Amino acid sequence: MLNLYEESFASCLLLGTAAYPTPEVLRQSVEAAKPGMITVSLRRAGSAGEAHGQGFWDLLQQMKVPVLPNTAGCQSVQEAVTTAHMAREVFETDWIKLELIGDDDTLQPDVFQLVEAAKILIDDGFKVLPYCTEDLIACRRLLDAGCQVLMPWAAPIGTGLGVVHEYALKVLRERLPDTPLIIDAGLGLPSQAAQVMEWGFDGVLLNTAVSRSGDPVNMARAFALATEAGRAAFEAEPVQAREQARASTPTVGQPFWHSAEY
């Protein structure tokens, strides 16, 4: 279970809806992954009056998965706030994944404007999930602004590099133990999703790693299994790594022929 803003979701995996080969592949991928939420860009959805837009709307309704609109592509506070308000009207939800990009090449979040936009939207009644970096101080400012969930990146969007700054993410998890943290962007393999879940992160959000893979449906299923396995491993309290070997079987009662004199 994933608990955010006092609401529960059936899976710790969130799935994007962009760049799939066909709408049918998208539908099958969502069905295979059974994500807690699917993210949708207002710009991706298009106008309901357009044939493509209407078809996409119909597909979203058929999948019956909670929708998390996002402000993808926004580069200013006003643009992000306006897009969020439009998304609330269109999708009839107060949930918003807040993206505010500061660099066109890395698609790195502008954490300064992000805090300002988050404060405005929270005051307007939104449940804000900000896409941010792993910077501890920036994350604290977002919490001070009223965010109850953070979505730090593992690596730049669409790169599939996996975790670039392991130390920073582990510190973030350690220093914000009571804050839901969802890894957003940069994961490329199910093993990477399992890894961050083993560290104690609360969920992962994926798009490119699934939609642009050779077989999105099977990849979606693989990420769902990896996310679940990683969370189960974390809750099972893994043994601590150690330098020295330690036998898993007792030495007492061994046959004489195992002695050093043999």
Side-chain angles (χ1 to χ4, degrees):
M1 298 292 292
L2 179 62
N3 299 305
L4 309 173
Y5 285 100
E6 301 180 353
E7 292 190 35
S8 297
F9 300 88
S11 172
C12 296
L13 175 65
L14 283 65
L15 199 61
T17 57
Y20 285 81
T22 67
E24 178 60 18
V25 171
L26 167 59
R27 185 193 66 76
Q28 292 180 19
S29 298
V30 171
E31 187 176 279
K34 296 180 175 57
M37 286 190 276
I38 53 175
T39 62
V40 180
S41 169
L42 187 65
R43 300 179 183 187
R44 166 74 175 87
S47 168
E50 298 176 359
H52 173 76
Q54 186 60 56
F56 188 66
W57 284 114
D58 292 341
L59 181 59
L60 291 180
Q61 293 174 344
Q62 292 168 13
M63 291 190 290
K64 297 184 183 202
V65 177
V67 172
L68 175 64
N70 65 52
T71 61
C74 293
Q75 295 185 322
S76 70
V77 171
Q78 186 57 53
E79 187 180 9
V81 169
T82 300
T83 301
H85 279 275
M86 291 173 63
R88 179 159 66 179
E89 298 254 338
V90 170
F91 295 104
E92 298 181 343
T93 178
D94 291 329
W95 292 79
I96 192 74
K97 177 192 169 187
L98 179 60
E99 294 186 33
L100 218 164
I101 302 302
D103 183 80
D104 289 334
D105 291 330
T106 63
L107 300 180
Q108 181 169 335
D110 183 331
V111 294
F112 300 100
Q113 292 196 92
L114 193 63
V115 172
E116 183 181 349
K119 181 66 167 64
I120 293 171
L121 291 174
I122 288 168
D123 289 345
D124 286 342
F126 283 89
K127 297 178 177 71
V128 178
L129 285 73
Y131 163 60
C132 56
T133 66
E134 70 285 295
D135 183 271
L136 175 63
I137 306 307
C139 287
R140 281 176 170 169
R141 296 295 175 266
L142 287 166
L143 294 178
D144 292 342
C147 295
Q148 295 182 27
V149 183
L150 300 175
M151 303 184 78
W153 68 351
I157 294 173
T159 60
L161 291 171
V163 176
V164 173
H165 298 131
E166 177 178 336
Y167 172 78
L169 280 178
K170 286 184 174 179
V171 167
L172 189 65
R173 178 67 287 176
E174 179 183 349
R175 299 295 294 276
L176 303 177
D178 300 322
T179 300
L181 299 176
I182 299 173
I183 296 296
D184 179 11
L187 298 181
L189 295 170
S191 58
Q192 296 164 357
Q195 180 182 59
V196 296
M197 295 299 290
E198 288 171 4
W199 293 345
F201 283 84
D202 298 273
V204 296
L205 192 154
L206 310 159
N207 194 126
T208 303
V210 172
S211 66
R212 295 192 182 278
S213 67
D215 186 344
V217 178
N218 275 328
M219 188 62 77
R221 184 179 295 109
F223 267 105
L225 293 170
T227 301
E228 182 178 353
R231 184 63 188 181
F234 169 74
E235 292 175 347
E237 300 180 7
V239 297
Q240 295 298 311
R242 48 184 283 141
E243 295 292 332
Q244 186 175 0
R246 180 168 60 185
S248 58
T249 55
T251 56
V252 176
Q254 285 185 338
F256 72 89
W257 39 265
H258 278 291
S259 65
E261 290 78 10
Y262 181 76

